[in-house]
Amino acid sequence: MLRYRTEGYHGCAVKYSPFFDNRLAVAASSNFGLVGNGRLFVLELTPNGIAPLKSFTTQDSLYDLAWSEIHESQALVASGDGSIKLFDCNLNDFPIQNWKEHNREVLSVNWNLVVKDRFCSSSWDGTVRVWSPHRPHSLVTLPTHSCTYSAAFSPHSPDIVSCVASDSYLRLFDLRTPASASNHLVMQIPIHAAPASSVPGVPGVPPAACPPSEALTHDWNKYRPSVLATAGVDRTIRTFDIRAPQQGPQAVMVGHDYGIRKISWSPHLSNVLLSGGYDMTCRAWTDQSPAGVVGDIDILHAGPSPVMGAELGRMGHHTEFVTGLDWCLFGSEGWCASVGWDENLFVWDVRAVMG
């Protein structure tokens, strides 16, 4: 396990570079993101540990980041002043581009993996916006009317945008549909609602429906194009298949002691995901689906109750809230990075905690 201290700044997000196997970046904020400066750390993994390559200080807190998919030295950051900034590691001090249309804190940014000249952002102002790095203004505004903590492009389609918000809904937008219909909204799944086929509870299984609570994070499965996972304040991870939204959750994973701040599906295994939360732990899970079953032959769960996922192991070295997670795309499967409010970045092997 490797450790790097983001001294004076509390980590909010971490991402591995999609171009270099030894480079990662951390978005962090002073004073736990409540007031003060932010800082983007660009770091390199070396034989002697983690070494700083570059850092950029901003006037407001940073809550998320995304590496550019078209330029290996550029990264986006989401700022508390409502702006999105693009930094270049080869240049000093100032962002090379700045966009400011959100009226409140920008909480997430995500780069399109299919059509690589687009990215999206979500904000406390109740909107998701789609941008191009070549344009000074946003291309599309998608209203959610609720604080939107996480937005992402589907890794399988260039035109599908998903998001989760404080109103406990998972929303999907299709940019190919006419905007006049409903601002591109094509699906709205109540995360905490009972499925249409719900039955009385089974011992050991949580209720199918529970009071709505804020959804803080979500992620697309990298191998199953119709599967997403959500998590948030209620300490529960749920997976949904967008081909059958009326069925409710396909799988449920319970175990965190407090809310879950970040989840991320493995880029190597179709049935494994990581979570990090306010109980200061990172946990690896399986949704109990068959490994290697992907795409159109994926089997829809048709049971009356969701499958109970299983915890595979946990990492407990953080001493404050875990707020960011990411998997390394390169090398042997299992390496990941995590950051938290304890000013620590850890790079560690999930296989070690899974035994």
Side-chain angles (χ1 to χ4, degrees):
M1 180 179 291
L2 302 176
R3 175 182 175 272
Y4 181 85
R5 188 173 178 215
T6 56
E7 189 171 357
Y9 291 86
H10 306 98
C12 293
V14 60
K15 293 288 170 61
Y16 277 93
S17 166
F19 294 96
F20 302 105
D21 60 358
N22 66 334
R23 185 175 296 180
L24 44 78
V26 175
S29 303
S30 58
N31 303 307
F32 305 100
L34 299 176
V35 66
N37 301 109
R39 181 167 289 177
L40 172 65
F41 295 85
V42 182
L43 308 168
E44 286 200 337
L45 305 175
T46 73
N48 298 317
I50 303 174
L53 176 68
K54 200 86 169 179
S55 67
F56 300 94
T57 302
T58 58
Q59 291 186 339
D60 214 312
S61 302
L62 300 182
Y63 297 122
D64 197 17
L65 72 103
W67 284 100
S68 168
E69 291 289 330
I70 54 178
H71 197 297
E72 68 273 7
S73 65
Q74 295 178 0
L76 288 168
V77 292
S79 179
D81 63 2
S83 70
I84 302 164
K85 304 178 191 299
L86 182 67
F87 287 98
D88 192 311
C89 302
N90 298 323
L91 304 173
N92 292 325
D93 300 330
F94 301 107
I96 59 173
Q97 280 182 269
N98 186 81
W99 298 270
K100 192 176 188 307
E101 292 183 22
H102 286 293
N103 299 320
R104 298 287 301 275
E105 292 88 338
V106 182
L107 301 177
S108 76
V109 284
N110 178 261
W111 208 286
N112 194 317
L113 300 179
V114 184
V115 175
K116 299 186 178 185
D117 62 348
R118 279 195 253 172
F119 62 90
C120 66
S121 62
S122 70
S123 169
W124 205 331
D125 66 7
T127 65
V128 173
R129 293 177 187 262
V130 177
W131 313 78
S132 167
H134 310 302
R135 302 281 186 90
H137 303 291
S138 62
L139 305 176
V140 181
T141 299
L142 308 170
T144 65
H145 310 293
S146 189
C147 175
T148 308
Y149 289 102
S150 173
F153 277 102
S154 165
H156 311 280
S157 169
D159 299 299
I160 303 296
V161 181
S162 60
C163 68
V164 293
S166 59
D167 62 359
S168 179
Y169 277 93
L170 167 64
R171 291 179 173 85
L172 270 78
F173 301 89
D174 189 337
L175 302 181
R176 296 166 296 189
T177 62
S180 57
S182 54
N183 293 299
H184 303 290
L185 182 67
V186 293
M187 191 174 297
Q188 188 166 270
I189 302 173
I191 294 171
H192 295 87
S197 59
S198 64
V199 296
V202 178
V205 177
C210 52
S213 62
E214 293 190 312
L216 303 178
T217 177
H218 82 300
D219 193 33
W220 287 89
N221 189 287
K222 308 306 187 292
Y223 293 93
R224 293 178 281 161
S226 62
V227 174
L228 301 95
T230 68
V233 171
D234 70 347
R235 304 169 293 168
T236 303
I237 303 168
R238 296 173 175 84
T239 68
F240 294 89
D241 193 313
I242 60 175
R243 295 173 297 175
Q246 72 285 352
Q247 284 189 7
Q250 302 286 301
V252 172
M253 286 152 271
V254 180
H256 274 281
D257 299 320
Y258 295 102
I260 300 168
R261 187 63 188 89
K262 185 69 175 179
I263 56 174
S264 180
W265 284 102
S266 167
H268 305 289
L269 301 169
S270 65
N271 59 355
V272 172
L273 71 160
L274 270 181
S275 63
Y278 296 128
D279 60 3
M280 310 181 203
T281 67
C282 302
R283 307 191 187 207
W285 305 85
T286 174
D287 67 354
Q288 304 285 25
S289 64
V293 177
V294 299
D296 294 335
I297 63 170
D298 190 14
I299 302 169
L300 280 171
H301 168 65
S305 298
V307 171
M308 291 303 296
E311 182 180 328
L312 300 174
R314 69 183 69 175
M315 190 277 274
H317 288 271
H318 284 284
T319 56
E320 258 295 351
F321 299 159
V322 178
T323 50
L325 290 167
D326 195 34
W327 295 84
C328 182
L329 297 171
F330 302 96
S332 57
E333 64 192 43
W335 283 96
C336 72
S338 59
V339 294
W341 277 11
D342 56 3
E343 301 182 7
N344 280 324
L345 159 71
F346 289 111
V347 173
W348 48 286
D349 190 347
V350 178
R351 294 167 299 179
V353 303
M354 290 167 55

